[in-house]
Amino acid sequence: QVQLVESGGGLVQAGGSLRLSCAASGGVFSSYNMAWFRQAPGKEREFVAYSGRNGITTLYADSVKGRFTISRDNAKNTVYLQVNSLKPEDTAVYYCAADRLISVVRIPAEYNYWGQGTQVTVSS
């Protein structure tokens, strides 16, 4: 069973950048599909980005495509989310999620393992 810990969130001005990290432990990291989701106050958790086990297959929400990049380092048991050109509407708690078998990558219920989240706040 894998444990996930996110870091790297913070307060940034619009147009700025952050690099979020999610460190995994307790499992064979390379056997897990990884994803980032986010949840703003009063809203449902939404899909942001996905990485397959080898990091070659990636998917993005339309709202972040071209601005966010997901990557993973299987040797370091870590998945990253580089977030650029941030907008106030990107403000949310960002969560990483993992599971070995995923049918629909954009659905939160597909993932059994979650981190505690890291807050990203973008000021205008």
Side-chain angles (χ1 to χ4, degrees), residues 45-62:
R45 192 166 298 191
E46 66 171 355
F47 169 76
V48 175
Y50 162 86
S51 171
R53 295 181 185 89
N54 57 15
I56 295 175
T57 301
T58 57
L59 292 169
Y60 296 92
D62 288 344

Side-chain angles (χ1 to χ4, degrees), residues 29-51:
F29 182 71
S30 60
S31 69
Y32 288 88
N33 299 283
M34 302 297 298
W36 287 93
F37 288 78
R38 66 186 181 185
Q39 188 165 17
K43 295 188 176 181
E44 293 187 351
R45 192 166 298 191
E46 66 171 355
F47 169 76
V48 175
Y50 162 86
S51 171

Side-chain angles (χ1 to χ4, degrees), residues 1-123:
Q1 182 167 331
V2 67
Q3 291 84 45
L4 305 172
V5 178
E6 301 96 333
S7 61
L11 173 63
V12 63
Q13 289 188 332
S17 299
L18 288 170
R19 190 193 196 199
L20 309 183
S21 300
C22 173
S25 61
V28 180
F29 182 71
S30 60
S31 69
Y32 288 88
N33 299 283
M34 302 297 298
W36 287 93
F37 288 78
R38 66 186 181 185
Q39 188 165 17
K43 295 188 176 181
E44 293 187 351
R45 192 166 298 191
E46 66 171 355
F47 169 76
V48 175
Y50 162 86
S51 171
R53 295 181 185 89
N54 57 15
I56 295 175
T57 301
T58 57
L59 292 169
Y60 296 92
D62 288 344
S63 59
V64 307
K65 204 172 292 183
R67 300 188 298 123
F68 291 11
T69 303
I70 188 171
S71 62
R72 64 190 293 165
D73 186 337
N74 285 346
K76 294 183 178 179
N77 293 349
T78 302
V79 63
Y80 304 97
L81 186 69
Q82 179 68 40
V83 297
N84 298 329
S85 302
L86 282 162
K87 305 174 182 180
E89 51 263 42
D90 293 318
T91 295
V93 177
Y94 283 70
Y95 298 91
C96 70
D99 214 311
R100 290 191 178 93
L101 297 176
I102 301 293
S103 297
V104 182
V105 302
R106 299 171 186 268
I107 298 178
E110 291 279 328
Y111 299 82
N112 281 307
Y113 306 104
W114 292 84
Q116 83 289 349
T118 186
Q119 176 72 48
V120 172
T121 303
V122 184
S123 63

